[in-house]
């Protein structure tokens, strides 16, 4: 595992964009794994800038997002589909049918999660995964627990995650935050060829310190990234 430290959020976002752009240039039909949340907003803005400046072509790129809230319609202002459309997909030349986000509204969520895994496999697998990290060390919505499903599954959100997301995205209203989500599992994530994890701000210090301690524990799911051979932490 490598760690790169940046002087601020803007520099980290630019560095992440450089990695994504270089990957897409080297392989135009790159499969990207993508996060939502506050951390990748700067990265997505840089990618939109690069696209508008003619520096990158997303026409053959495929994307798979980590997770989606259960019960929020795709048009809901806090759905992760809407987030991705507004932050990235609506502003670049990606083929909409190449963008995949787990369904949080399917009648049979477990069946939809299995179909999502099949699509991911059929795509050839993720070339570059961009991750964020929760204050409690979660990646995707794989919350600290004694055990968890390996692949895409329905999951209950930790109290801490509900609180953090309420404050950041739901005007502080914990009741408004869905209590369950569909998330890729740790094994889904670990099958990516290359992983970069972005972390910004002091609230993540504890999770990053646990990863750096090199002790593997599902109490801090991000620590399992040590079992992958090509992970870079980008920290600001
Ligand atoms: C988002 C996701 C989460 C976030 C994490 C950090 O798709 O899977 O693991 O990456 O909660 O969120 P922010 O970036 O808002 O601090």
């Amino acid at each position: 595992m490598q760690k790169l430290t940046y002087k601020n959020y803007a520099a980290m976002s630019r560095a992440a964009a450089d990695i994504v752009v270089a990957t897409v240039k080297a392989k135009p039909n790159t499969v990207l794994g993508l996060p939502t949340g506050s951390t990748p907003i700067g990265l997505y803005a840089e990618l939109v800038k690069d696209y508008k400046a003619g520096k990158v072509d997303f026409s053959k790129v495929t994307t798979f997002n980590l997770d989606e809230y259960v019960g929020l319609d795709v048009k809901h202002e806090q759905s992760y589909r809407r987030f991705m459309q507004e932050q990235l997909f609506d502003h670049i030349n990606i083929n909409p049918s190449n963008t995949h986000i787990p369904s949080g509204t399917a009648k049979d969520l477990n069946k939809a999660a299995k179909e999502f895994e099949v699509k991911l496999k059929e795509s050839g697998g993720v070339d570059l995964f961009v991750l964020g990290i929760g204050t409690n060390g979660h990646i995707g919505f794989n919350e600290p627990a004694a055990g968890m499903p390996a692949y895409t599954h329905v999951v209950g959100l930790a109290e801490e995650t509900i609180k953090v997301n309420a404050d950041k995205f739901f005007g502080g209203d914990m009741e408004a935050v869905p209590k369950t989500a569909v998330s890729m599992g740790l094994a889904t994530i670990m099958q990516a060829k290359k992983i970069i994890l972005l972390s910004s701000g002091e609230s993540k210090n504890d999770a990053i310190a646990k990863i750096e301690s090199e002790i593997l524990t599902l109490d801090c799911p991000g620590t399992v990234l040590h079992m992958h051979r090509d992970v870079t932490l980008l920290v600001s």
Side-chain angles (χ1 to χ4, degrees):
M1 182 180 286
Q2 241 204 113
K3 184 187 177 194
L4 303 171
T5 306
Y6 297 91
K7 64 176 190 299
N8 56 35
Y9 175 74
M12 180 193 75
S13 301
R14 187 57 245 168
D18 287 342
I19 294 170
V20 174
V21 169
T23 304
V24 173
K25 277 194 169 154
K27 186 181 178 213
N29 64 345
T30 289
V31 179
L32 295 173
L34 297 176
T36 56
S38 53
T39 309
I41 290 175
L43 159 65
Y44 295 152
E46 290 299 318
L47 291 177
V48 170
K49 254 194 239 162
D50 286 354
Y51 166 69
K52 290 194 168 150
K55 292 184 187 158
V56 58
D57 172 14
F58 290 96
S59 63
K60 296 192 174 70
V61 169
T62 298
T63 62
F64 286 87
N65 264 77
L66 279 165
D67 40 26
E68 178 60 281
Y69 288 119
V70 167
L72 294 194
D73 184 80
V74 292
K75 296 245 159 26
H76 188 285
E77 61 174 9
Q78 291 306 336
S79 84
Y80 285 169
R81 165 55 74 180
R82 178 147 166 199
F83 176 96
M84 289 308 300
Q85 292 302 137
E86 288 179 351
Q87 300 297 326
L88 184 65
F89 300 153
D90 285 348
H91 312 290
I92 60 174
N93 66 336
I94 196 159
N95 180 343
S97 64
N98 287 351
T99 66
H100 307 280
I101 298 183
S103 173
T105 53
K107 261 204 197 109
D108 186 339
L109 291 171
N110 293 317
K111 185 166 162 251
K114 286 214 170 81
E115 287 164 0
F116 181 82
E117 285 281 338
V118 170
K119 255 191 212 145
L120 178 48
K121 204 163 262 164
E122 284 171 357
S123 76
V126 171
D127 294 295
L128 172 65
F129 219 126
V130 181
L131 295 175
I133 186 148
T135 52
N136 63 2
H138 73 211
I139 51 177
F141 276 134
N142 295 286
E143 302 283 22
M148 57 194 70
Y151 299 100
T152 303
H153 59 285
V154 179
V155 61
L157 301 188
E159 194 72 10
E160 181 172 336
T161 301
I162 293 169
K163 170 99 183 73
V164 168
N165 287 3
D167 289 345
K168 273 195 202 165
F169 299 109
F170 289 83
D173 180 4
M174 284 177 71
E175 286 310 307
V177 183
K179 307 298 177 283
T180 50
V182 178
S183 176
M184 286 188 192
L186 293 176
T188 320
I189 295 167
M190 294 284 279
Q191 285 172 359
K193 294 180 188 87
K194 179 184 175 71
I195 297 174
I196 61 174
L197 183 147
L198 313 187
S199 174
S200 186
E202 282 179 13
S203 66
K204 308 288 174 73
N205 283 356
D206 190 41
I208 294 294
K210 283 186 180 146
I211 293 177
E212 290 192 289
S213 75
E214 299 183 1
I215 303 292
L216 300 182
T217 170
L218 289 178
D219 281 340
C220 178
T223 62
V224 307
L225 293 173
H226 281 289
M227 296 176 78
H228 192 283
R229 70 174 72 191
D230 190 353
V231 177
T232 304
L233 307 181
L234 280 69
V235 177
S236 69

